[in-house]
Amino acid sequence: MGTRASGLYPKQLGRYAIYGAALHSPCTGKVVEAGRGQADQTPPQSDPENPNGNYVRLACNNTEATVYLSHMREGSVAASEGDEVQKDQVLGRIGNSGNTTEPHLHIHAEHNGKGIPITFQERFLVRNSLVW
């Protein structure tokens, strides 16, 4: 793959490699919050009044942390508050909703309202890291 978009900051969401990709749950747990109904933005527009856009917040088993998965595609959130989810279950699709200027997944973990480090395949990631 190697490129994130076809063209220089294209306005067509379909020209972004990640747009519409399935978003899988990083853990087994429970949906404690879900937001939907936000439109996908046309790059580089953003919606700072709805920072998460369409999202799911998970309480992962065996941890006190919750995990946010934000900026999901309009109409794609496939889980609701109270749902039990399994690791790798599809929760929606990557989109461009909320306070974002191009399609991507925003993921972060919190404990008592404060951000905490999160690892993937035993690695700490930094902005723009690729795992797979």
Side-chain angles (χ1 to χ4, degrees), residues 16-37:
Y16 290 84
I18 198 168
Y19 184 74
L23 173 56
H24 300 263
S25 178
C27 64
T28 295
K30 186 175 186 175
V31 177
V32 294
E33 193 176 349
R36 44 177 60 83

Side-chain angles (χ1 to χ4, degrees), residues 4 7 12 17 21 59 62 66 71 73-74 84 87 94 102:
R4 71 177 208 287
Q12 302 85 359
N62 303 318
T66 59
H71 309 312
R73 186 174 180 170
E74 181 178 10
E84 298 286 337
K87 183 178 179 182
I94 304 295
E102 68 180 65

Side-chain angles (χ1 to χ4, degrees), residues 3 11 16 26 34 54-56 63 68 74 80 84 90 107 120:
T3 60
K11 294 192 180 297
Y16 290 84
N54 304 308
Y55 71 97
V56 173
T63 181
Y68 282 86
E74 181 178 10
S80 297
E84 298 286 337
V90 174
I107 182 170
F120 293 88

Side-chain angles (χ1 to χ4, degrees), residues 33-55:
E33 193 176 349
R36 44 177 60 83
Q38 301 299 315
D40 281 316
Q41 303 295 314
T42 300
Q45 295 174 339
S46 65
D47 182 2
E49 292 188 22
N50 297 291
N52 288 321
N54 304 308
Y55 71 97

Side-chain angles (χ1 to χ4, degrees), residues 3 65 78-79 81 129:
T3 60
E81 186 175 327
S129 289

